[in-house]
Amino acid sequence: MSLKGKRIGFGVTGSHCTYDVVFPEIEKLVEEGAEVIPIVTHTVTNTNTRFGKGEEWVERFEAITGHHIIDSIVKAEPLGPKMPLDCMVIAPMTGNSLSKLANALTDSPVLMAAKATMRNHRPVVLGISTNDALGLNGVNIMKLMAAKDIYFIPYGQDDPQKKPKSMVANMSLIRDTIVAAINKEQLQPVIIEKFRYE
């Protein structure tokens, strides 16, 4: 299935260390002909880290997609009834945003875009990057895995020795997960071994 002409919302949350592997995947979607709508949390725009400045990531996101960033709940709400998406992606998705989505909290543009997409029964694809996937957030992951219209980019432990509770999605599988999700299927296997995404 080609993604040419598909309208894909792409939400980025505050897992700054993961941007370097996510942004090339966004470029691939655009190169294939998908219309990618960039959406960010306040953390992305307002935080400077050793991985880069917030404003620089925003500029890069806009340059890749050719669209202005959606950076407010008000701007994200029309992605439901007025400007529906074929698919909404959140990658990377922090444990913080994960727990909020699982408990129906909508306090960021990215979560509003996800809620608006679910309202239309369109797929929402999640690419987790959280240090407590096998801790307190485990229940939220399972809650979302059982939810209608939610699909996961396959994920696994990224550093079992030093961070035994941490799990990260294999971001190179973003496109394949989107295609499967549009077809109402979960890309398998969902839980992958560490060596699968190094």
Side-chain angles (χ1 to χ4, degrees):
M1 172 191 219
S2 172
L3 294 178
K4 185 175 182 179
K6 295 295 184 184
R7 186 173 158 83
I8 299 170
F10 207 106
V12 172
T13 71
S15 181
H16 307 280
C17 60
T18 319
Y19 297 167
D20 276 339
V21 294
V22 169
F23 276 70
E25 301 306 318
I26 299 172
E27 290 176 342
K28 291 175 186 176
L29 296 175
V30 173
E31 289 168 3
E32 188 173 338
E35 180 185 11
V36 178
I37 310 301
I39 310 153
V40 295
T41 61
H42 307 300
T43 303
V44 176
T45 56
N46 298 321
T47 306
N48 297 329
T49 72
R50 62 190 173 96
F51 301 104
K53 295 181 178 179
E55 62 187 32
E56 293 171 348
W57 286 113
V58 167
E59 288 174 7
R60 182 175 174 189
F61 207 179
E62 290 182 333
I64 291 170
T65 62
H67 287 284
H68 289 297
I69 288 286
I70 292 177
D71 58 1
S72 73
I73 290 174
V74 172
K75 292 178 186 176
E77 195 276 336
L79 295 176
K82 294 180 183 177
M83 299 182 293
L85 302 168
D86 292 299
C87 182
M88 173 69 194
V89 179
I90 306 176
M93 185 177 206
T94 61
N96 184 49
S97 291
L98 179 77
S99 64
K100 290 176 180 180
L101 181 61
N103 290 285
L105 297 176
T106 311
D107 67 349
S108 78
V110 170
L111 294 176
M112 173 55 77
K115 178 181 177 182
T117 303
M118 292 168 68
R119 174 180 174 183
N120 292 334
H121 292 296
R122 301 285 175 87
V124 174
V125 169
L126 308 180
I128 66 169
S129 179
T130 172
N131 286 323
D132 69 339
L134 296 177
L136 290 176
N137 242 326
V139 65
N140 294 318
I141 292 173
M142 292 305 113
K143 194 173 183 181
L144 289 170
M145 288 194 74
K148 185 177 177 61
D149 302 319
I150 300 281
Y151 302 87
F152 280 79
I153 299 166
Y155 57 90
Q157 289 176 279
D158 54 307
D159 192 344
Q161 281 71 46
K162 295 180 182 177
K163 301 190 297 179
K165 294 183 180 181
S166 178
M167 298 186 91
V168 177
N170 178 349
M171 301 304 180
S172 70
L173 295 175
I174 287 174
R175 183 203 178 275
D176 291 347
T177 308
I178 292 171
V179 170
I182 290 174
N183 289 319
K184 303 296 184 185
E185 297 175 357
Q186 170 62 58
L187 187 66
Q188 297 290 344
V190 182
I191 310 297
I192 55 177
E193 293 184 57
K194 182 174 182 286
F195 74 87
R196 291 286 299 279
Y197 55 90
E198 284 190 324

